[in-house]
Amino acid sequence: MTFVTFPKYRKIVVMLEKLPYSKLVEKAVIEMIQGGVPIRQIITSIQHLNDAPRSLSTLYKHYGPAMEAERTRINGAVGKRVIDQALYGDVQDGITWKSQELFLRSKAGWSPQNTTNEVEQTVDPEVDEAAADQLMNLLGFNKDDEDV
């Protein structure tokens, strides 16, 4: 419902009709989602259809559940294919290794990076005394003494 006010006149109420759900629009949207078309391009390309939504919010309001269901179906199918290849693929096949790596990176937190920590030593190892030797010296025991 929209109110239009004119100065010195009374309010005029304009009733806008609700946009009906269209199976034709749904079909077009689903086909474009299956093709990986971005949502902004989808809304632009369906404008020639009757009852096509003109805004993203209206598109999501009317066709959001169908769009999400299709995305979920696609993600499940691709995921199943990758996991099947990772589990049951030919180990000589390079794609099997790629499937296994993709799964491990995305689901298991694995990273192929080798981490090498190099620590720069500031004390000469010949002069450095171990903590136990320092403690023994503080207690009065010298390791150089023969009679200990």
Side-chain angles (χ1 to χ4, degrees), residues 22-134:
S22 168
K23 281 299 216 181
L24 185 63
V25 172
E26 178 188 346
K27 182 177 182 251
V29 169
I30 296 302
E31 285 176 359
M32 286 184 258
I33 286 176
Q34 291 170 346
V37 178
I39 198 70
R40 293 203 180 272
Q41 288 179 357
I42 291 174
I43 198 156
T44 302
S45 65
I46 62 172
Q47 291 308 304
H48 69 281
L49 298 173
N50 289 335
D51 300 325
R54 305 243 182 264
S55 69
L56 288 174
S57 61
T58 306
L59 177 70
Y60 281 113
K61 180 180 173 184
H62 288 294
Y63 303 100
M67 292 171 15
E68 196 57 36
E70 186 59 24
R71 285 187 182 123
T72 301
R73 188 194 66 75
I74 291 169
N75 290 342
V78 171
K80 182 177 181 343
R81 179 83 182 240
V82 169
I83 291 172
D84 285 348
Q85 181 66 36
L87 291 174
Y88 310 115
D90 181 8
V91 291
Q92 302 300 324
D93 187 9
I95 294 176
T96 299
W97 294 110
K98 292 290 184 186
S99 296
Q100 291 169 343
E101 183 179 344
L102 175 64
F103 179 82
L104 290 173
R105 282 182 187 226
S106 63
K107 299 297 182 190
W110 176 78
S111 174
Q113 297 174 347
N114 291 331
T115 305
T116 304
N117 291 331
E118 293 185 20
V119 178
E120 188 174 320
Q121 196 166 13
T122 58
V123 179
D124 183 13
E126 297 293 325
V127 179
D128 189 23
E129 294 181 350
D133 291 338
Q134 290 176 357

Side-chain angles (χ1 to χ4, degrees), residues 130-143:
D133 291 338
Q134 290 176 357
L135 181 61
M136 294 299 285
N137 284 337
L138 290 172
L139 292 173
F141 296 103
N142 191 346
K143 69 176 182 177

